[in-house]
Amino acid sequence: MPRAVFHSVARYTGPGAVDLADRVESLVVLCDQIRNTGEPVLKEEEVWDAEVEPGLPVWRMLFENEGETLSRDLARSLQIVIDQAASLGEGQLAGVNVQGALGLFANGNATQLNTASDLRTLVRSHMGGEPQDAAVFCADCAIAFPRLKLSNAFPQCISTFDGGYQQYAGVLVRCLEALNDDWTNFERGDLPKTLKAFSARSGFETNMEGNGDRKDELSFAFSVEEGISERVICEPHMKLGSSDIAGDNKYYFHRIYFNPRGHTSFPGLTLIGHAGKHL
């Protein structure tokens, strides 16, 4: 299992004397947000027996304590999100290094997920630290980098990294993180100056393509809907000159090409045309 997001017994075990309603409401909202990303949500089966307060297990709070601790609707909502989660098998978590724990309290050793941002951070850590195959990496981009739109050149272009993208996954994730979190689609002004400022913030040199005759080569198809694509020029590029390998001092000619401006077919998104070899 590459990573696990799960309802944790430890995080459902509480000290008592706390208001559970707000915690349950926030957890239900978060579970719905996670499910909408396509990330599987699992559960430790023993979570039903975890005591949210001394003498009050989860199952009793939901099925026999109606209206005393939670409203009927809130209890039903929590029951649904736990029911929807597939059960973890015995020992299934033992081999999973990247774990995100869901629950009501700040307990346990796994990374705690309390917001959608926590999930993005968890997935980014997994993508950079335990890279999977290129198709999985690109699918995870939708969760980790919701403001980015990948072109139809993905995931094939990832294979053009020298020796395989896995050797550069950490660098690649940091670049995509900067584009997702820090790049604001350019509207007007001095674009080279804006790219220079972005270079300073991101730590990766970012500039325009020097040859103005390569616009066709730097145009990429982006899916608008099934069977319909639009070609968009992605001329600015971030330079990925290093790998993740300790002691590797070689300079690599890898690039991420992107469109610096907004596009009417993809409102609010930054378009990524290519990641891999220098085109």
Side-chain angles (χ1 to χ4, degrees), residues 162 168 171 203-207 237-243 247-255 278:
D162 186 13
Y168 315 88
V171 176
F204 294 93
E205 183 180 353
T206 307
N207 48 37
H237 52 270
M238 300 180 76
K239 297 182 177 181
L240 290 68
S242 63
S243 73
D248 181 6
N249 297 318
K250 179 180 177 180
Y251 182 83
Y252 294 93
F253 293 89
H254 297 139
R255 303 288 187 266
H278 185 196

Side-chain angles (χ1 to χ4, degrees), residues 184-212:
T184 300
N185 282 339
F186 182 79
E187 297 297 337
R188 61 179 65 87
D190 188 335
L191 180 54
K193 183 177 180 180
T194 300
L195 293 173
K196 184 176 181 180
F198 178 70
S199 299
R201 291 197 307 274
S202 67
F204 294 93
E205 183 180 353
T206 307
N207 48 37
M208 297 292 289
E209 172 61 39
N211 186 346

Side-chain angles (χ1 to χ4, degrees), residues 48-52 54-67 69 75:
W48 296 109
D49 295 317
E51 295 189 349
V52 294
L56 182 61
V58 170
W59 65 265
R60 182 173 292 154
M61 176 180 69
L62 298 183
F63 299 107
E64 294 185 359
N65 203 37
E66 188 174 293
T69 305

